[in-house]
Amino acid sequence: MASTLITAPAAMLTPTGQPAISDWSLTGDKIHLNHGSYGAVPRAAQIHQLALKARMDENPCTWFMGQAATLAGTRAEVAAFLHVDADDLALVPNASAGVSVIYNSLPFAEGAEIVTTDHAYGAVLEGARRVARECNGEVRIAVVPLDADAALSCELVMAQVTERTALIVIDQITSATARSFPVLEIARAAAELGIPVLVDGAHAPGAEADPVPDFEGFWVGNLHKFACAPRGTAAVVARGPLRKYLHPLIDSWGFPHDFPESFDHVGTQDITSWMAAKTSFDTIETRYGWDAVRSYSTALADYGQAIVQNALAEVTGEDAAADVGMQVGQLRLVRLPRGLATSHEGSHAVRAWISETLDIETAITTFGGAGYLRLSSHVYNTAKDFEDFAERAVPELFRLAQNH
């Protein structure tokens, strides 16, 4: 199948003319179409992190005694990449940990309610339910159609707000449905009612040029997904009066300090992933340019989505297009054959089968009782990766569905 819509631009080649994949350590026998789950770390950042680990092990006493000062500098590096004030940012292991910081820190009153949507990440939703149980409250879920635009999405979320609403939790980019939400509009509407908002921006860093919306509230985001930092790197951004309540998940020697300094004291935790994050940011900027990466990845995602949808339509006789109301640049959603991956467990089984049988890494998700293929693209992907999926995987998916 020849690529007629997109070819890899020259900007995706290194100065030596080698393919972009040479900058990464992804295994050559696998096609990786699931950058959105765990990302990929440039070799330069991996080498830097290993050197930092060696320094840590050479003299752990000196290393750990100076760790808080080191993290203060690292926070400033991450804040610069995210275009936020370093005094508003704390480092955490992942976005879920950042969400847990908010849940475990805020003073929820008896009967408090948390508003979120049916697109929320499963672990974030379960955390909200735990908070609600502890305060004898409730989680109110806005049912938002997949094809809802910004205005309807905002309207449906705010319709769930009551006089007991203590927090609104909203995805910036959803995991299961690969769509965005109008987080800034929702935050502004909530601010008029005096309701704090937590934005789950797990996928936003790297995917968006300015990933942290300008609002007073809470934002969490992973640095190891589209920003390509070593795994175990994420940030919490907190603005406004409620930030005074925030405390780390683990009590350590940061207790005399307020947010964010209290988060710089993490005991014997390995902080090298945070310290090497800037190497990832700088490597991608120097080798390709972040704007070029986003432009290339978006164009490639358009192409990949089109050929996979067309291939599925040919074998099933059904439209495989998923009408996503607020599409995301590097992520695309394609409807799977009817009856396939209709549950959370079923989606994991299909993903594992594709990986083990076809040597293709993908994301299979479930929403509203239907199964979807979530495609990701990044600088190391080419049109051939998606063409190969259309040629080899699509017929097998149809066969799986028929035998289901």
Side-chain angles (χ1 to χ4, degrees):
M1 182 182 295
S3 169
T4 58
L5 299 182
I6 181 172
T7 56
M12 294 303 105
L13 302 180
T14 68
T16 60
Q18 297 299 314
I21 193 68
S22 66
D23 287 335
W24 314 81
S25 60
L26 297 167
T27 57
D29 59 344
K30 288 271 189 180
I31 293 175
H32 292 266
L33 300 179
N34 187 20
H35 186 92
S37 283
Y38 302 105
V41 186
R43 291 182 187 274
Q46 296 176 38
I47 293 169
H48 184 198
Q49 186 178 11
L50 287 173
L52 291 169
K53 286 178 178 289
R55 279 176 47 197
M56 174 177 64
D57 290 331
E58 286 169 0
N59 191 338
C61 291
T62 298
W63 177 274
F64 287 108
M65 292 300 289
Q67 191 168 241
T70 299
L71 277 180
T74 300
R75 277 197 294 110
E77 294 172 350
V78 172
F81 177 75
L82 297 177
H83 302 149
V84 299
D85 193 320
D87 289 336
D88 292 335
L89 181 144
L91 296 170
V92 291
N94 53 46
S96 294
V99 170
S100 294
V101 164
I102 311 303
Y103 286 164
N104 293 341
S105 298
L106 294 185
F108 290 97
E110 183 74 8
E113 295 179 349
I114 297 176
V115 170
T116 189
T117 78
D118 56 342
H119 297 253
Y121 187 62
V124 172
L125 176 59
E126 288 306 312
R129 286 171 171 158
R130 173 185 60 79
V131 171
R133 288 194 299 269
E134 291 173 353
C135 67
N136 295 313
E138 180 184 355
V139 175
R140 296 176 62 88
I141 298 178
V143 177
V144 180
L146 185 61
D147 62 353
D149 61 12
L152 179 59
S153 299
C154 184
E155 176 186 338
L156 292 172
V157 170
M158 296 309 296
Q160 293 298 317
V161 171
T162 73
E163 68 279 359
R164 290 189 172 185
T165 302
L167 182 68
I168 297 175
V169 182
I170 193 77
D171 290 78
Q172 191 170 2
I173 298 173
T174 63
S175 178
T177 52
R179 58 159 289 159
S180 62
F181 268 82
V183 292
L184 191 55
E185 291 86 342
I186 291 171
R188 288 171 175 167
E192 294 181 0
L193 302 175
I195 300 171
V197 170
L198 165 58
V199 172
D200 181 357
H203 294 268
E208 298 186 4
D210 290 297
V212 185
D214 184 14
F215 74 104
E216 190 174 278
F218 308 104
W219 176 94
V220 301
N222 284 319
L223 305 175
H224 66 255
K225 291 181 182 286
F226 287 98
C228 298
R231 291 161 197 90
T233 56
V236 174
V237 175
R239 306 184 183 108
L242 290 179
R243 61 182 263 157
K244 67 182 179 183
Y245 292 106
L246 300 191
H247 57 76
L249 293 176
I250 300 173
D251 291 323
S252 190
W253 290 98
F255 64 86
H257 305 283
D258 296 324
F259 179 92
E261 287 81 3
S262 59
F263 287 72
D264 293 341
H265 299 258
V266 292
T268 53
Q269 181 175 335
D270 185 347
I271 66 170
T272 58
S273 57
W274 292 327
M275 294 174 65
K278 186 175 186 296
T279 301
S280 291
F281 308 155
D282 291 349
T283 296
I284 292 175
E285 178 58 37
T286 300
R287 303 288 265 182
Y288 320 110
W290 275 103
D291 288 340
V293 168
R294 282 186 283 267
S295 177
Y296 171 83
S297 300
T298 297
L300 184 57
D302 286 340
Y303 174 74
Q305 178 186 28
I307 64 166
V308 172
Q309 282 179 179
N310 291 342
L312 278 166
E314 287 178 7
V315 300
T316 65
E318 299 177 354
D319 187 3
D323 189 1
V324 176
M326 299 181 68
Q327 188 167 270
V328 177
Q330 299 95 321
L331 289 172
R332 291 293 185 274
L333 207 64
V334 176
R335 189 180 295 273
L336 288 174
R338 192 184 306 273
L340 197 62
T342 57
S343 68
H344 186 67
E345 295 75 14
S347 65
H348 282 300
V350 173
R351 185 214 62 79
W353 186 90
I354 293 173
S355 175
E356 295 166 5
T357 306
L358 302 175
D359 286 329
I360 303 174
E361 295 296 347
T362 61
I364 304 296
T365 69
T366 301
F367 180 74
Y372 294 92
L373 168 69
R374 192 193 73 188
L375 296 170
S376 302
S377 64
H378 210 269
V379 66
Y380 53 79
N381 290 124
T382 67
K384 188 177 185 304
D385 294 337
F386 295 93
E387 293 164 0
D388 185 86
F389 184 93
E391 292 175 354
R392 292 196 298 121
V394 163
E396 293 300 319
L397 287 172
F398 181 56
R399 183 184 64 79
L400 279 179
Q402 288 183 310
N403 296 334
H404 184 71

